[in-house]
Amino acid sequence: MDFLETAMNRQSCRSFDENRAVEPEKLERVLQAGRLAPSACNGQPYHITVCTGETAHQVAVATQGPGMNKFAVQAPVVIVISEENYNKTAAVGSKIKGNDYRSIDIGILTAYLTSEANSQGLESCILGWFDDEKVRKICGLTHPVRLVIVLGYAPDGYLLRPKKRKELDELVTRI
């Protein structure tokens, strides 16, 4: 599958096959893709915590709010992305330019992780609603949690939804 096919086929999955585990070799490829993601000054100012079993369930529960993310408990793998400190070069650049490179880097990391998951036949959903304090406690983290990604297989019959995106001319100016 080429990248454009991956982009066209990746969607936020909101139903997972609870009885189908993610194969370790597929999870390893997802994590390797994340390791290769570019970041400001190659600082990789994040930490990836992979949760399975009861820990995944606990983190998934911590992503549920008023009607939010009820499907997360079905996912066999939960990936927690926490923010780490900048390296010295990126810290100086961030201060001078007034730009939060960590958020950008975490976004790129997430795109790499979820794209490789899709190329491995896995589904994912990126969650921004979670209880930071609870997730940190469950995972033993000291830095802020920025995103939670649930990962697994969609149940049989789960359909690819049509993409609702702006037209290219609305997004792109050619000069």
Side-chain angles (χ1 to χ4, degrees), residues 119-162:
S119 75
Q120 293 296 316
L122 300 168
E123 299 292 340
S124 61
C125 191
I126 304 162
L127 309 178
W129 183 285
F130 52 84
D131 184 321
D132 177 67
E133 188 177 311
K134 285 182 183 176
V135 175
R136 280 195 214 188
K137 184 175 181 182
I138 293 163
C139 296
L141 300 170
T142 56
H143 288 88
V145 173
R146 293 298 178 215
L147 291 173
V148 174
I149 303 168
V150 290
L151 190 68
Y153 288 98
D156 290 338
Y158 193 80
L159 299 175
L160 182 64
R161 298 179 302 276

Side-chain angles (χ1 to χ4, degrees), residues 72-86:
V73 295
Q74 301 168 342
V77 177
V78 177
I79 297 174
V80 176
I81 309 295
S82 55
E83 182 179 278
E84 293 289 324
N85 296 327
Y86 284 120

Side-chain angles (χ1 to χ4, degrees), residues 38-46 83-106:
S39 61
C41 303
N42 200 30
Q44 298 178 295
Y46 41 72
E83 182 179 278
E84 293 289 324
N85 296 327
Y86 284 120
N87 66 19
K88 289 179 184 178
T89 310
V92 169
S94 177
K95 188 155 184 90
I96 291 171
K97 299 304 289 178
N99 205 346
D100 180 10
Y101 297 121
R102 287 182 292 210
S103 291
I104 296 166
D105 293 343
I106 288 169

